Amino acid sequence: MKECLRKQISLWTASALLVGGLAACGGGGEGAPADSSGTPEGESEIKIGILIPGSPTDGGFSQQAAEAGALLEEQFNCHVAVVEAATADAIKSEGETMAAEGYKIVFGHGGQCSTPLAEISKDYPDTRFVTTGGTEVRENQFPVSLCLEQSTYVAGVVAGMMTESNMLGCSVGGDYPAYTKTTNAFELGAKSVNPDVKILFNVLSSTDPTEGYEVTMNQIKMGADFIYSNSNEAQSGSIKAAAESEGVYAFGTLGDFIPQAPETVLANTMGDWSKAFINATEAILNDQVGEPEIMYLDMSNESVSFEWNEELKKEVPQEVLDKVDETIQAIADGTIHVPNEYELG
């Protein structure tokens, strides 16, 4: 009962955002009748869990996973639980509870889930553990890598060509490769077109919007005129700081942040996490996983993209637009290789 209540609260929000009110429990609604197994009528007995690090309405990373949960319910007619688990202990505890309750798949959203789930996966051979990021590969556990670094490289190219101060600001919500691969890519992209550019880089102590705001405002005071922040909820604070500063532009990460600051957010660096959840679920349910290995999603399979703010794009020099198109094509066909988290260690 406790687990079902958690799931209904989380997925109601995601479903409302995604499809304007998709019912929380397998399409049957909160009061849907249940069969003798406790599963709402019309829903299969397959259960899938998704552990997220933050709020399901953060507008970015965690929300994408929550929305993916709604898509899984709709596409696979299964029972999905989305639960917040921000610490290693919580990830391990919630993952173990789900596995013990017979969940077919447990997703850990973020590389931070990799080690905690690896500590329990061997004890639950009938459950598949999938992490979005991370390094652990076990007999019943593998990571999915969304190559967001590719679209962030493109953002770096834009910033490197358009900066007037040659100073760019970057911040991340954690000091591990799944985060830092993006700021590394941003720097590589910027320096590929402007070797003189300098990067101001900060790792936040938390993903609190206030800290994001303060860190970014300090970077702006030091001269940064383009801002990139991959920091979950803290990203909103960073964008707010940029919006309050004249002549400063920002990039949104893993969500549409243009409405938040339409005169400041020049573009969004996007990755379609729903493809990670759907592709992995389909492979597992169809028994097509085989030997566990890293599953990559990138520009070559249209899982990662760079999306302009169409109004601000009108003010971007044509040479920058041309360079962006050229760079995206080169990344997609492999001419430009952007290091992923595994190559960064």
Side-chain angles (χ1 to χ4, degrees), residues 25-191:
C25 284
E30 187 172 343
D35 60 23
S36 59
S37 69
T39 302
E41 189 175 321
E43 181 182 89
S44 76
E45 294 184 8
I46 295 171
K47 295 191 289 187
I48 297 173
I50 301 177
L51 305 177
I52 58 176
S55 167
T57 57
D58 68 356
F61 188 68
S62 293
Q63 183 171 318
Q64 282 208 3
E67 292 176 349
L71 287 173
L72 292 181
E73 284 198 332
E74 184 179 31
Q75 181 163 333
F76 297 100
N77 189 35
C78 59
H79 172 92
V80 178
V82 177
V83 177
E84 290 186 44
T87 67
D89 286 343
I91 292 164
K92 184 176 177 180
S93 174
E94 295 287 359
E96 192 162 29
T97 296
M98 289 174 171
E101 292 178 353
Y103 277 66
K104 179 75 172 179
I105 307 170
V106 174
F107 285 99
H109 195 41
Q112 73 277 5
C113 297
S114 186
T115 299
L117 292 182
E119 292 176 7
I120 65 170
S121 61
K122 63 182 181 298
D123 298 325
Y124 299 94
D126 294 331
T127 298
R128 287 279 188 171
F129 296 85
V130 183
T131 58
T132 54
T135 58
E136 299 290 345
V137 178
R138 297 287 188 271
E139 186 174 347
N140 61 329
Q141 177 176 336
F142 65 90
V144 178
S145 177
L146 185 70
C147 298
L148 185 65
E149 66 274 10
Q150 294 182 342
S151 55
T152 312
Y153 182 98
V154 178
V157 168
V158 174
M161 294 183 72
M162 293 184 65
T163 179
E164 295 182 0
S165 65
N166 276 345
M167 195 78 72
L168 312 179
C170 287
S171 60
V172 290
D175 189 18
Y176 43 88
Y179 267 131
T180 57
K181 69 174 184 176
T182 57
T183 47
N184 176 70
F186 186 79
E187 181 173 3
L188 288 175
K191 290 188 174 180

Side-chain angles (χ1 to χ4, degrees), residues 1-56:
M1 180 65 70
K2 177 182 176 184
E3 178 276 333
C4 188
L5 179 61
R6 280 187 311 202
K7 176 255 191 177
Q8 288 178 1
I9 291 172
S10 299
L11 279 192
W12 185 89
T13 303
S15 300
L17 289 167
L18 182 65
V19 291
L22 180 67
C25 284
E30 187 172 343
D35 60 23
S36 59
S37 69
T39 302
E41 189 175 321
E43 181 182 89
S44 76
E45 294 184 8
I46 295 171
K47 295 191 289 187
I48 297 173
I50 301 177
L51 305 177
I52 58 176
S55 167

